[in-house]
């Protein structure tokens, strides 16, 4: 839609071919229905947060920066607000407002929206000639492929763009999930299924190198298969070559307390419950669902009287609370990923125009390209920037 808007603003006659009955189905579910539409940061900061092919995005971000995106939505009637981590949302907290704004902006500029699946892109003598929709060839001078990635296929983006690109001779790099929940063999996950943790620390250790692969502070959740939540999704983008036994997550359940202070806190709880059993001493410190798990891992008998717990046993408890180990063994399927890693090779796309280097008149925009970023509004901004540049260049040429 952003590509269509910029192409129309540059004077082109534009048609969007959308397989769904309405545009922007994926945007509706972004940011848990609130749409984290961009990030209020500079281009330099932005590019540092893109793990895959950041330099390719330089021209597109210069063409449409995060500031330009915010100005666009506000001028089209959607007031925005900036939240923690410079994440930008509509003031209404409604992703729907972003979708209707884009559709309205398209219609205002005379863009036609046609329902149908783009089956193939037609070309002749190294030049684009049109698109086949419903078996019928439709003539076009320029075609922009903005079909998204492979994740959440029910939204319409099921990887069709990769096929279209390959058919025209483009290379598509290996597709894999990113920003995706993590599967764990640790039995404790299933036992704590449904438990959400807020304000905890997460460190992921690569056991093959002993290095910290990811470290953050925030929210996460245990599920029947493993772990999920904002911090886990972000961690997944850093866990290349994930396989069973390679990565271990360590959850700091009390990041605001160092070990000594935590020990003091436990001692004070113990003096409060001095005549109770160990099992009855932890409810001020830990969520109820976690208590049996921590007790089992601590190796301390749950019926042991508080006054007979040794200093060593307390030290084991402190270590567990500061670094609860969870094995990170694999990713959930791409259907459940927020973004797709991989896509049309950036080596075959001109970064100044988004035009294909293989077929004249063919352009790419958005997640179909081999670029992806972390959470925070960056992925939509990539789609907006590459879309705007592709639209304006296609119209100009
Ligand atoms: C649950 C979830 C939450 C997210 N939250 C955020 C967030 O808050 N902030 C953020 O920045 N990013 C978020 N993302 C990522 C973001 O939504 C995507 O990166 C972004 O939508 C990509 O835009 P796009 O235009 O490239 O593709 P899409 O938005 O996927 O749009 C592609 C469109 O092409 C259509 N299409 C595909 N193939 C064909 C075909 N052959 N013919 C016709 N039409 C076709 C599809 O139906 C679809 O409408 C989230 C993703 C998910 C899944």
């Amino acid at each position: 839609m952003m590509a269509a808007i910029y192409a129309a603003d540059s004077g082109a006659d534009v048609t969007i071919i959308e397989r769904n009955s309405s545009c922007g189905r994926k945007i509706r579910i972004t940011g848990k229905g609130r749409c984290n539409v961009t990030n209020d940061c500079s281009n330099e900061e932005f590019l540092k947060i893109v793990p895959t092919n950041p330099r390719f995005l330089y021209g597109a971000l210069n063409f449409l920066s995060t500031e330009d995106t915010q100005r666009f939505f506000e001028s089209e009637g959607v007031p925005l607000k900036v939240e923690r981590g410079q994440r930008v949302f509509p003031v209404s907290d409604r992703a729907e407002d972003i979708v209707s704004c884009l559709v309205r902006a398209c219609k205002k500029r005379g863009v036609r929206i046609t329902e149908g699946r783009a089956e193939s892109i037609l070309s002749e003598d190294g030049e684009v000639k049109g698109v086949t929709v419903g078996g019928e060839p439709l003539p076009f001078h320029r075609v922009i492929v903005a079909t998204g990635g492979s994740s959440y296929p029910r939204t319409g983006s099921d990887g069709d763009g990769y096929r279209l690109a390959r058919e025209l001779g483009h290379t598509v790099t290996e597709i894999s999930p990113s920003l995706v929940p993590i599967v764990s063999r640790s039995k404790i996950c299933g036992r704590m299924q449904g438990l959400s943790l807020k304000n905890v620390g997460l460190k992921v250790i690569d056991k093959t190198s002993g290095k910290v692969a990811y470290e953050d502070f925030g929210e996460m959740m245990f599920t029947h298969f493993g772990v999920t939540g904002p911090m886990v999704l972000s961690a997944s983008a850093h866990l290349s070559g994930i396989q069973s036994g390679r990565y271990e997550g360590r959850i700091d359940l009390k990041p605001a307390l160092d070990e000594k202070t935590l020990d003091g806190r436990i001692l004070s709880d113990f003096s409060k419950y001095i005549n109770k059993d160990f099992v009855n001493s932890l409810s001020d410190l830990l969520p109820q669902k976690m208590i049996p798990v921590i007790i089992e891992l601590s190796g301390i008998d749950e019926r042991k009287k508080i006054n007979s717990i040794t200093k060593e046993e307390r030290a084991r408890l402190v270590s567990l609370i500061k670094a609860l180990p969870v094995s990170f063994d694999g990713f959930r399927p791409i259907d459940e990923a927020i973004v797709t890693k991989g896509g049309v090779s950036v080596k075959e796309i001109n970064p100044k125009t988004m035009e294909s280097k293989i077929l004249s008149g063919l352009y790419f925009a958005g997640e179909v390209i081999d670029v992806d970023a972390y959470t925070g509004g960056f992925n939509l901004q990539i789609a907006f920037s590459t879309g705007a540049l592709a639209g304006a260049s296609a119209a100009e040429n």
Side-chain angles (χ1 to χ4, degrees):
M1 285 185 277
M2 196 60 102
I5 290 164
Y6 271 76
D9 275 346
S10 307
D13 181 15
V14 188
T15 303
I16 293 179
I17 300 164
E18 167 58 58
R19 71 193 321 173
N20 292 326
S21 54
S22 59
C23 290
R25 196 175 276 181
K26 187 172 269 179
I27 303 176
R28 289 193 174 87
I29 58 166
T30 56
K32 293 188 180 155
R34 297 204 300 132
C35 187
N36 178 190
V37 69
T38 185
N39 194 286
D40 188 30
C41 65
S42 67
N43 287 357
E44 288 68 34
E45 286 171 299
F46 192 109
L47 294 174
K48 278 189 207 141
I49 297 165
V50 176
T52 315
N53 298 318
R55 285 206 338 249
F56 173 79
L57 290 173
Y58 191 79
L61 271 176
N62 264 340
F63 186 79
L64 185 89
S65 66
T66 68
E67 205 184 323
D68 299 330
T69 300
Q70 292 177 65
R71 207 173 299 125
F72 168 83
F73 282 107
E74 298 220 302
S75 70
E76 293 283 339
V78 183
L80 302 173
K81 60 180 172 180
V82 181
E83 294 192 358
R84 189 176 55 85
Q86 294 160 287
R87 290 163 194 248
V88 180
F89 293 87
V91 169
S92 64
D93 283 330
R94 280 165 42 98
E96 183 59 42
D97 288 357
I98 296 295
V99 181
S100 46
C101 167
L102 287 165
V103 172
R104 215 171 38 240
C106 284
K107 291 194 171 155
K108 201 162 84 182
R109 290 162 173 83
V111 172
R112 269 182 307 276
I113 301 178
T114 300
E115 186 181 340
R117 176 171 164 251
E119 286 143 6
S120 60
I121 294 168
L122 307 167
S123 68
E124 214 179 280
D125 302 330
E127 264 189 47
V128 153
K129 290 288 170 205
V131 180
T132 308
V133 182
E136 207 186 312
L138 305 179
F140 292 108
H141 294 111
R142 308 279 178 265
V143 172
I144 302 170
V145 177
T147 44
S150 282
S151 71
Y152 280 72
R154 271 172 301 163
T155 60
S157 32
D158 64 355
D160 223 11
Y162 304 134
R163 178 187 59 79
L164 293 172
R166 269 196 211 98
E167 281 172 7
L168 297 168
H170 272 278
T171 311
V172 176
T173 62
E174 194 191 333
I175 300 301
S176 62
S178 188
L179 306 180
V180 64
I182 288 174
V183 176
S184 171
R185 285 186 311 175
S186 301
K187 292 207 175 66
I188 63 168
C189 296
R191 287 174 66 191
M192 293 190 281
Q193 179 178 341
L195 176 64
S196 259
L197 302 174
K198 284 203 170 99
N199 304 325
V200 293
L202 174 67
K203 200 183 261 188
V204 186
I205 310 293
D206 182 347
K207 292 200 279 185
T208 57
S209 65
K211 288 194 177 137
V212 176
Y214 178 80
E215 192 169 7
D216 204 359
F217 171 85
E219 286 174 42
M220 61 177 289
M221 189 178 156
F222 294 100
T223 70
H224 64 285
F225 58 76
V227 282
T228 188
M231 208 168 29
V232 171
L233 298 181
S234 298
S236 71
H238 299 255
L239 309 183
S240 57
I242 192 168
Q243 52 178 293
S244 203
R246 176 164 178 185
Y247 291 106
E248 183 177 272
R250 293 182 190 159
I251 307 166
D252 184 348
L253 298 163
K254 297 287 166 196
L257 309 179
D258 62 17
E259 301 218 341
K260 197 162 161 249
T261 324
L262 177 60
D263 191 40
R265 164 81 201 273
I266 292 173
L267 270 175
S268 111
D269 283 2
F270 278 6
S271 59
K272 185 170 159 193
Y273 299 108
I274 191 81
N275 294 316
K276 301 253 187 201
D277 293 347
F278 177 49
V279 66
N280 296 320
S281 69
L282 297 172
S283 50
D284 294 352
L285 196 66
L286 298 171
Q288 212 53 40
K289 225 174 188 167
M290 190 178 268
I291 293 175
V293 169
I294 294 287
I295 289 182
E296 189 179 310
L297 293 175
S298 75
I300 307 169
D301 183 352
E302 62 170 19
R303 292 287 153 214
K304 194 164 188 176
K305 290 287 174 224
I306 293 293
N307 54 17
S308 56
I309 289 179
T310 65
K311 198 174 168 192
E312 288 70 34
E313 285 173 327
R314 229 175 49 235
R316 281 212 303 275
L317 186 60
V318 167
S319 315
L320 262 181
I321 294 175
K322 289 298 286 175
L324 177 65
V326 179
S327 169
F328 281 11
D329 298 301
F331 293 144
R332 289 289 285 176
I334 200 158
D335 301 25
E336 295 174 32
I338 301 288
V339 285
T340 307
K341 214 180 183 63
V344 178
S345 170
V346 297
K347 291 189 192 127
E348 297 165 359
I349 304 172
N350 181 345
K352 292 189 182 126
T353 57
M354 297 293 131
E355 189 173 14
S356 160
K357 291 182 185 170
I358 291 178
L359 185 64
S360 168
L362 177 70
Y363 295 77
F364 293 97
E367 209 178 307
V368 72
I369 304 174
D370 180 19
V371 281
D372 60 87
Y374 302 144
T375 56
F378 302 102
N379 287 296
L380 278 171
Q381 181 62 47
I382 290 175
F384 294 141
S385 294
T386 53
L389 179 56
S393 319
E396 199 172 288
N397 294 339

